[in-house]
Amino acid sequence: RPTAVVRVDNGSFAYAFDWYSRFAESDEAARADVANEDRLVAAFGRSQPAELKRNDGRQRGWIGPTDSILGPDRDKGHFVPHSIGGALEINLFVQERKLNRGWSPTGKAYRAIEHYCLKHPGTFFFNRPIYADGSAQPAMLEVGIVTADGVLGVDRFEN
């Protein structure tokens, strides 16, 4: 399918976003295509403490009530954690609850990356969603950091 990747900068992070629906304005096939959604391609930048309190009301309003819309095993997660400077709208996705909340061994490893970035402001962080279909829900997340001593660490997490 055609892509329309745009870069959106917010704070110390950049978001590469495939704005596929922009083709719907002029392309009848794209207008009729409900299998392919707009979605994040990658998020990257340097961690910094959140400047504002998270807007929980806006997050709750995104796509409706979490459990009834997404199910009891899903959350509204952030590609870049809010605690390290992540934005809201473009940064939200449907995430496995155990991973997001650190309730599983892989979830604990996922959250450890967030905590490292929180304790070490300026850490380079990236999240690259890997999709299995045309939806905006990633099948996997490739998350990485460059530690204070210059070591690149990359992990993949099933979503």
Side-chain angles (χ1 to χ4, degrees), residues 28-102:
E28 190 172 323
R31 242 186 333 273
D33 183 1
V34 295
N36 289 299
E37 298 179 283
D38 296 340
R39 62 192 187 183
L40 193 82
V41 177
F44 56 93
R46 296 197 175 275
S47 65
Q48 66 179 22
E51 292 180 9
L52 302 171
K53 183 180 177 208
R54 186 170 72 184
N55 189 332
D56 291 334
R58 283 184 61 198
Q59 185 172 343
R60 275 193 300 275
W62 180 67
I63 69 173
T66 305
D67 284 356
S68 61
I69 300 292
L70 304 177
D73 64 335
R74 297 284 165 189
D75 269 346
K76 296 171 184 172
H78 293 78
F79 287 109
V80 177
H82 172 79
S83 63
I84 66 167
L88 197 56
E89 286 85 359
I90 198 169
N91 191 33
L92 292 176
F93 72 105
V94 177
Q95 186 175 20
E96 180 188 277
R97 185 167 285 175
K98 288 180 182 178
L99 180 65
N100 186 38
R101 298 186 185 192

Side-chain angles (χ1 to χ4, degrees), residues 2-44:
T3 59
V5 178
V6 296
R7 178 178 166 150
V8 177
D9 293 316
N10 187 292
S12 63
F13 283 93
Y15 302 84
F17 187 76
D18 184 2
W19 186 20
Y20 175 73
S21 67
R22 77 181 286 182
F23 293 111
E25 298 169 9
S26 60
D27 183 331
E28 190 172 323
R31 242 186 333 273
D33 183 1
V34 295
N36 289 299
E37 298 179 283
D38 296 340
R39 62 192 187 183
L40 193 82
V41 177
F44 56 93

